[in-house]
Amino acid sequence: MQFLLFHIESVLTTYKGNPPLSVFLKAYFRQHPKLGSRDRKAISEAVYIYYRCASAWDNGAPVLPVIKTGMQLCGSDNPFLDRVLQGVAAAPVPIVEAGFPVPLSAGMSAGGWLASLRRQPRLFIRVRKQVDKVMVLLQQSDIDCHKEATGWPAGQERADDCLSLKNGAPVDRLLEEEDYVVQDWASQASIQGALDLMRQAGFVPQQVWDVCSGAGGKSILLKDKLPAFRLLVSDIRESILHNLKMRFRKYHLSGLEMKVIDNTATQQVAAALEGRLFDTIICDVPCSGSGTWARTPEQFHFFEMEQLQKFAALQYPIAANALSCLAPGGFFVYITCSVFVAENEAVVQRLMEGRPGLQLLHSGIIDGISRGADCMFVAVFRNQLP
């Protein structure tokens, strides 16, 4: 087992926070092809446990004892990893105050949020058709799943097409790829709740701009719910837009226009859109990702305050430039996957101060902790100017 301990320490010594840990591990395992699947799983789990737990020891502690204790703290049930660490002495369980040096958004408990980072979240899929049939198929294959209600505020959620499964469930081997989308519960809820507000106002989107679209999960959800509207997606990364285009083809969706735009650059936005207005704008801005750190604990481990300042400096100009293209009566949806005030309420306040006639309809955290999901923040505005 000594060689596995060597690889665990080797990964933790060489990894510096970039690229994403999952990408780094794949490359590391390609360089060491003699490692079997059980070995790779044990190494990966040990590394993830370390990044979930190491910061709890204020004065530091040796890597392997931290992992040994971390198995208990994280609820690990990997018997092979337990055998690998059999001769390692556990580190004393740390006594740490449940606090964090960054103010959290209203409704977030620092203790609850920090505790949630020690557990791997669940897998969520959005079933595009015949959800009950899909559930039966999964259950017949001994895959435990249940519907999870989406939308907000509390009491108005609907359990329709979101399924919650154990992380790692082999849905790709059982379902046709065009029949479902892997998308966290909080991400689904962010758009479903905004759509509910629009419906309550008797509003149906016709011209939609998805700013900083990424791979397009929210646009795909919108197109599945309301296929007729015209959609512009933009991002600073041409490669991610190509991925989005491929996903639209896979799901047989149409009505897509793409542009590479740096939304922090006011003149570039104006030149790219040439005075166009949109009745619905989805603005999911780059952020610290703190609401998703349970999935990416390396980001939690390597977090520095300078990163938060960098993201906060991007978010307001991105949103403000997008708002300049909002039609009278239109809806603007501001989204982050952050739990920090600086990226959430603080930006909302600046947008309200800088845009007369902008009405705030909803603002708050989408808390997925109790569901084993991510946390996100969403604010929905309406342009009341004629």
Side-chain angles (χ1 to χ4, degrees):
M1 300 296 183
Q2 199 66 33
F3 78 102
L4 289 178
L5 298 180
F6 165 81
H7 282 292
I8 291 169
E9 293 189 305
S10 176
V11 169
L12 291 170
T13 301
T14 55
Y15 182 65
K16 303 301 180 183
N18 244 334
L21 181 56
S22 60
V23 175
F24 180 88
L25 285 171
K26 287 179 181 178
Y28 184 89
F29 293 144
R30 283 197 298 269
Q31 294 170 4
H32 299 86
K34 291 185 178 180
L35 292 169
S37 60
R38 187 174 63 167
D39 300 334
R40 295 193 299 270
K41 184 176 179 180
I43 293 167
S44 297
E45 185 162 351
V47 170
Y48 273 94
I49 286 173
Y50 179 79
Y51 288 132
R52 292 183 190 281
C53 298
S55 63
W57 281 265
D58 289 339
N59 298 322
V63 166
L64 297 179
V66 166
I67 296 171
K68 179 83 168 185
T69 303
M71 287 190 69
Q72 176 186 350
L73 297 177
C74 296
S76 172
D77 60 355
N78 187 324
F80 180 63
L81 177 58
D82 192 47
R83 284 171 51 204
V84 170
L85 297 170
Q86 191 170 13
V88 175
V93 176
I95 301 175
V96 181
E97 293 183 7
F100 197 75
V102 179
L104 303 187
S105 287
M108 289 301 302
S109 158
W113 172 63
L114 288 169
S116 76
L117 301 186
R118 291 181 174 168
R119 299 296 175 121
Q120 172 71 34
R122 290 177 66 79
L123 170 68
F124 294 88
I125 63 174
R126 181 175 58 82
V127 183
R128 302 181 67 230
K129 55 186 177 181
Q130 298 182 309
V131 62
D132 292 326
K133 181 178 179 180
V134 167
M135 285 187 68
V136 169
L137 178 61
L138 292 172
Q139 290 165 352
Q140 286 176 342
S141 299
D142 295 324
I143 295 179
D144 179 48
C145 66
H146 63 268
K147 290 183 181 179
E148 196 68 70
T150 58
W152 34 261
Q156 297 184 20
E157 306 100 327
R158 294 187 314 280
D160 45 18
D161 53 7
C162 178
L163 296 187
S164 173
L165 308 94
K166 183 178 179 180
N167 195 276
V171 294
D172 56 329
R173 299 206 299 263
L174 299 170
L175 305 179
E176 297 294 331
E177 63 176 9
E178 67 268 20
D179 290 343
Y180 72 99
V181 179
V182 175
Q183 186 175 23
D184 184 77
W185 169 85
S187 179
Q188 295 184 47
S190 69
I191 294 300
Q192 188 60 64
L195 283 175
D196 289 345
L197 286 180
M198 295 176 195
R199 290 193 182 103
Q200 291 170 19
F203 178 86
V204 179
Q206 300 295 327
Q207 302 281 341
V208 178
W209 179 18
D210 185 354
V211 182
C212 304
S213 63
K218 296 176 180 65
S219 284
I220 291 169
L221 189 155
L222 277 172
K223 272 292 182 181
D224 278 342
K225 303 290 184 179
L226 300 166
F229 68 85
R230 293 183 60 186
L231 173 66
L232 169 67
V233 297
S234 68
D235 200 282
I236 196 172
R237 301 160 294 177
E238 187 171 4
S239 59
I240 204 75
L241 291 177
H242 175 76
N243 293 342
L244 187 156
K245 183 178 180 180
M246 294 300 101
R247 294 185 77 196
F248 264 62
R249 286 183 179 176
K250 177 172 69 176
Y251 296 126
H252 310 293
L253 299 172
S254 60
L256 174 66
E257 177 186 1
M258 299 187 303
K259 287 183 179 291
V260 177
I261 303 176
D262 179 357
N263 233 74
T264 64
T266 304
Q267 292 183 346
Q268 186 179 139
V269 173
L273 299 182
E274 300 178 323
R276 290 170 62 181
L277 296 178
F278 301 84
D279 60 40
T280 305
I281 298 177
I282 309 296
C283 192
D284 187 351
V285 296
C287 69
S288 63
S290 51
T292 67
W293 282 353
R295 296 188 190 278
T296 56
E298 72 275 17
Q299 294 185 22
F300 168 60
H301 181 81
F302 288 102
F303 173 74
E304 296 178 353
M305 287 296 296
E306 292 78 10
Q307 295 171 282
L308 180 59
Q309 296 164 3
K310 172 186 173 183
F311 284 120
L314 291 174
Q315 289 151 357
Y316 175 75
I318 288 174
N321 286 332
L323 265 173
S324 68
C325 301
L326 184 63
F331 281 77
F332 184 85
V333 185
Y334 175 82
I335 301 172
T336 77
C337 50
S338 171
V339 298
F340 298 150
V341 169
E343 301 181 281
N344 298 338
E345 290 93 338
V347 177
V348 168
Q349 184 63 35
R350 289 188 67 187
L351 293 174
M352 294 292 293
E353 292 172 351
R355 182 83 177 192
L358 194 63
Q359 179 187 14
L360 181 61
L361 302 179
H362 174 89
S363 175
I365 283 285
I366 300 175
D367 186 350
I369 291 175
S370 64
R371 294 174 167 86
D374 297 338
C375 295
M376 300 186 74
F377 175 87
V378 61
V380 181
F381 305 86
R382 193 166 194 187
N383 183 8
Q384 298 292 358
L385 292 177

